[in-house]
Amino acid sequence: MATSSMSSQSAKKQKPLSSLTIGVEEEILALKKGEMPPKEDEHRHNGHPMTTVCPPPSRLPQELIDIIIDYIPDRSALYACCLASSLLVHRCRSHLFRRIRLKPRTDFARFQRAYTSKGLLQYPREVEILGCLTPDADPGDDANSGLNDEGDPDHRWMDAIVPFLMRFDLAQIEWLDLRDLSWGDIAPGTRIFLLTQFTLTRRLTLSAIDFWNSNQMLRTLNAFPNIHGLSMEKLSWHRANHTRKQLEGIADMHLRYLHIGQTEFARYGPFIKWLIGQRDVLIVDEAFIVWEDTEIMSPITLLRRLAPTLKSLIYQQCMILPGSELVAARLAAVQAAQGQAQHIAPVPVVNVPMQPTQAPQPAEVEDEPVTAANDGGEDELQNATEAEEAAADEDQADPPMGVDLSDDEGGDDDNNDGADDDDGDDDGANEVIHTNGPPIVMDDDESEEESVIEEYIAEHSRWPTETDALRDGMALLNSIPIEGSRVEHINARIAWSSLAMVGMKLVCQMCTAETKAFSLLLVLPPRHLWGRIDWLSIDSLLDDVAQRAAKDAILELSFLGAFAQAQEDLPEIRTSLTAKLPLLLARRRWTPKYDRSNLQ
């Protein structure tokens, strides 16, 4: 009886397994609906073991999500993230649509539909305007699309830029990138817009722009007083008509980076005078300088001023402009060929200038700093459209098709024709004659006395020979050496010519006990010309650096050039070079490197 009574009581207490399952399911549904709190510490249900019911995992803070997205370097991955979750869309768009690239074939109507307050209007922080006057500027379908049927610059498409960009909050634009433009062919109203509406821009790139004259170049630079990064390369101007006032800036300037690249047809002397001006404070953290002009005093003056604050220096020197030995030799060859042709047959000879040798470029050096999330190359918006449609609201405007969103700073094309306009004098160093070029005076040039302009024109029409520049440059560096340098990293690449010794002495004086790494690459001529090289002076310079450098500093010396025709020649080349540098070999502070190459 007792046993049967206990069995009946146990049966009353126990519920069928199906009832237990239903109870658990009801509790989970209640949790999802938020009708009851989770019981994290309850491990039994009506006396029966059960799996603990845990709350849904907490979401990562949006700040952490944004940081993770910021470290994604691949654009396709950013597109995929847009598809993954609505929590990722905003931050991904801030990278994908950070840059607007405007070109002659830009569909502004479609852009206006996409860049709205409910669309993409809030994301751009960089504006690139690409004129497409040369095939190298944009090698795709837009190559040469900025030229008219006669092959002249046609910037009428830029008239649509003003009303389109006015819809943006231009105070948020951090980087203005102007490329491949003929400045005087831009409508005056558009030029005024560019020079007055981006005054808060922090980064400025000027690439492959023909400013027509130095007045317009300095006028443009003065329009951006708040920049902390400046890059300029392949610039042209044809008349030195800048004003004294343009060179007398007094505002303090602190540039995180300064890039002075190769020139197309512009001399950088006026720019360096503008940069130094009458400023009490001029600080540049990182400098990348390519110098091709025999007017060597300008880089000496600039580096002397920057030395106390400069942290990193990349310096390239290759003399290819008028006044250089290269141009003089080519002119002599052309004239000799003309004389021989006239002796054989007295017929008219057309003097076709020869192309100068391209200046060497440093390996793996970017023109300017580029954030990883924006380094996307040449991308169209087809993939972006798919990502947007999957993650955006129904009333969101579709992104424009055919927009290149990359912020790539461009290639390292070396099309320098600085010697093409030489007048044919024997020394190639007196005067440059410009023919078939654009007008060189513009209505909005800032005014200056004509006598002052004539002095500037005369000054910038003189091209010192390398012999004269060598004498003056060495005399200056010997009498007033650069002092107080605090550069930590120096990377120099110098192509041999008479002025190479000035370039070497300049960078060697920048090296002090503060320097952590100094890499010097000498581009040597063929071996039969090595007799012209002042090896004793090179050895003395390098030995002086070895004595001043810190004990843990890395000193590397590399040789590059057409001095070895086969791999088996290298041991003999090494023996020959080390024999010419006895102090370097004895002190054993420099690490010499050799590279077999056939530079022409």
Side-chain angles (χ1 to χ4, degrees):
M1 292 292 294
T3 303
S4 61
S5 176
M6 291 178 62
S7 299
S8 62
Q9 291 178 3
S10 174
K12 291 180 181 179
K13 292 181 180 180
Q14 279 190 331
K15 289 186 178 180
L17 184 59
S18 61
S19 299
L20 176 62
T21 304
I22 292 174
V24 173
E25 291 178 349
E26 290 177 349
E27 189 167 324
I28 292 175
L29 288 174
L31 280 171
K32 291 183 177 180
K33 294 180 180 180
E35 297 175 356
M36 64 178 292
K39 301 178 181 180
E40 299 183 14
D41 58 345
E42 185 176 20
H43 294 274
R44 303 183 67 82
H45 183 81
N46 293 328
H48 293 274
M50 62 173 287
T51 303
T52 301
V53 178
C54 298
S58 60
R59 196 183 75 186
L60 284 175
Q62 188 64 40
E63 292 80 1
L64 287 179
I65 295 176
D66 292 346
I67 292 174
I68 294 171
I69 294 297
D70 291 345
Y71 276 89
I72 298 178
D74 184 59
R75 297 179 67 84
S76 60
L78 290 171
Y79 291 138
C81 288
C82 285
L83 295 170
S85 171
S86 60
L87 298 176
L88 310 180
V89 171
H90 175 73
R91 196 64 172 189
C92 289
R93 286 179 179 170
S94 70
H95 294 294
L96 291 170
F97 305 103
R98 182 177 180 83
R99 168 166 289 219
I100 302 176
R101 174 174 283 188
L102 305 176
K103 300 185 285 187
R105 293 179 179 173
T106 295
D107 187 348
F108 283 97
R110 188 167 181 82
F111 271 43
Q112 290 171 352
R113 294 193 297 270
Y115 289 96
T116 63
S117 58
K118 294 182 178 181
L120 306 176
L121 193 63
Q122 60 180 308
Y123 298 111
R125 295 295 182 270
E126 303 169 5
V127 174
E128 178 181 356
I129 300 176
L130 182 62
C132 295
L133 302 181
T134 59
D136 293 333
D138 193 89
D141 295 336
D142 289 309
N144 296 326
S145 59
L147 302 175
N148 60 21
D149 294 338
E150 288 74 31
D152 298 324
D154 186 355
H155 289 326
R156 288 177 294 177
W157 66 273
M158 293 181 65
D159 295 344
I161 287 179
V162 176
F164 172 67
L165 290 180
M166 284 298 292
R167 63 178 55 204
F168 294 87
D169 181 3
L170 298 181
Q172 295 185 353
I173 301 301
E174 302 169 1
W175 188 354
L176 181 61
D177 189 344
L178 304 178
R179 294 177 177 271
D180 212 21
L181 300 170
S182 177
W183 196 247
D185 289 309
I186 302 173
T190 304
R191 289 204 310 269
I192 292 174
F193 174 80
L194 294 175
L195 298 183
T196 58
Q197 299 301 311
F198 295 90
T199 55
L200 298 180
T201 293
R202 305 294 287 167
R203 300 169 67 179
L204 177 65
T205 296
L206 305 174
S207 177
I209 299 178
D210 188 344
F211 279 107
W212 291 24
N213 58 55
S214 60
N215 191 300
Q216 289 293 324
M217 179 184 72
L218 298 185
R219 184 169 179 256
T220 300
L221 291 170
N222 281 326
F224 302 95
N226 294 299
I227 56 174
H228 67 212
L230 175 60
S231 176
M232 46 195 299
E233 63 176 351
K234 299 181 182 178
L235 302 185
S236 299
W237 52 263
H238 311 276
R239 180 181 172 86
N241 65 340
H242 49 277
T243 69
R244 289 168 292 185
K245 184 177 179 180
Q246 288 177 323
L247 302 178
E248 296 173 352
I250 61 174
D252 295 347
M253 181 174 290
H254 184 171
L255 298 178
R256 295 181 182 175
Y257 67 88
L258 170 65
H259 174 208
I260 305 175
Q262 292 175 296
T263 178
E264 187 68 18
F265 197 88
R267 305 186 74 179
Y268 285 130
F271 164 74
I272 290 178
K273 290 180 179 179
W274 168 85
L275 183 64
I276 296 175
Q278 298 181 2
R279 310 178 198 276
D280 292 332
V281 176
L282 174 60
I283 299 174
V284 175
D285 295 337
E286 300 179 1
F288 180 8
I289 301 172
V290 180
W291 200 257
E292 304 166 329
D293 196 337
T294 55
E295 195 279 288
I296 201 67
M297 295 301 183
S298 289
I300 294 176
T301 303
L302 176 62
L303 291 180
R304 188 187 304 277
R305 179 64 189 273
L306 300 182
T309 59
L310 191 63
K311 299 177 182 178
S312 175
L313 171 63
I314 299 176
Y315 180 81
Q316 287 183 252
Q317 180 175 301
C318 183
M319 298 293 114
I320 64 172
L321 295 184
S324 67
E325 295 168 349
L326 174 66
V327 173
R330 289 179 179 268
L331 288 173
V334 170
Q335 292 170 355
Q338 287 180 339
Q340 183 178 6
Q342 291 174 355
H343 177 73
I344 296 175
V347 295
V349 177
V350 178
N351 184 357
V352 180
M354 301 177 66
Q355 296 292 332
T357 300
Q358 297 176 350
Q361 291 292 325
E364 301 178 357
V365 175
E366 294 180 344
D367 286 356
E368 293 182 3
V370 179
T371 55
N374 296 322
D375 189 9
E378 300 296 325
D379 294 308
E380 300 294 332
L381 257 174
Q382 182 64 45
N383 294 332
T385 302
E386 298 172 359
E388 292 288 310
E389 290 175 350
D393 296 332
E394 292 182 357
D395 60 348
Q396 178 77 29
D398 291 338
M401 299 293 291
V403 183
D404 190 337
L405 294 176
S406 85
D407 61 357
D408 184 10
E409 278 293 89
D412 292 329
D413 301 318
D414 303 332
N415 299 322
N416 295 284
D417 301 330
D420 290 356
D421 293 322
D422 196 273
D423 64 354
D425 290 345
D426 291 342
D427 59 2
N430 294 325
E431 184 178 1
V432 176
I433 298 177
H434 311 283
T435 59
N436 299 325
I440 55 179
V441 177
M442 295 171 59
D443 293 337
D444 55 353
D445 289 339
E446 296 183 16
S447 61
E448 180 57 278
E449 296 179 8
E450 191 61 32
S451 60
V452 174
I453 294 178
E454 290 177 358
E455 291 179 4
Y456 288 155
I457 293 175
E459 176 184 352
H460 292 284
S461 296
R462 292 190 295 267
W463 301 83
T465 64
E466 288 203 45
T467 302
D468 293 341
L470 171 65
R471 179 195 64 230
D472 297 340
M474 294 298 285
L476 179 60
L477 291 173
N478 287 329
S479 60
I480 313 176
I482 295 177
E483 297 179 344
S485 173
R486 305 193 67 178
V487 180
E488 296 179 358
H489 300 277
I490 302 175
N491 189 334
R493 178 169 183 160
I494 298 177
W496 189 262
S497 68
S498 293
L499 266 179
M501 286 305 304
V502 178
M504 289 185 60
K505 193 173 187 67
L506 176 60
V507 294
C508 285
Q509 288 189 356
M510 295 292 291
C511 180
T512 66
E514 303 280 345
T515 305
K516 299 177 180 178
F518 183 4
S519 176
L520 174 61
L521 188 151
L522 295 180
V523 182
L524 298 179
R527 291 190 65 185
H528 69 274
L529 299 177
W530 284 11
R532 303 179 183 179
I533 298 177
D534 188 354
W535 294 103
L536 290 178
S537 295
I538 294 177
D539 196 26
S540 177
L541 280 175
L542 300 181
D543 186 62
D544 182 60
V545 169
Q547 296 181 61
R548 286 186 284 109
K551 292 183 178 180
D552 58 347
I554 299 174
L555 305 179
E556 294 183 348
L557 174 63
S558 302
F559 298 99
L560 180 68
F563 47 71
Q565 300 302 320
Q567 190 70 27
E568 53 268 19
D569 296 337
L570 288 180
E572 193 274 331
I573 294 293
R574 179 187 180 95
T575 301
S576 176
L577 285 174
T578 53
K580 297 177 182 299
L581 304 171
L583 295 177
L584 178 143
L585 181 64
R587 201 171 294 275
R588 297 184 181 276
R589 284 289 286 113
W590 286 87
T591 301
K593 296 183 178 181
Y594 307 87
D595 185 13
R596 183 172 62 86
S597 177
N598 288 323
L599 293 179
Q600 297 300 322

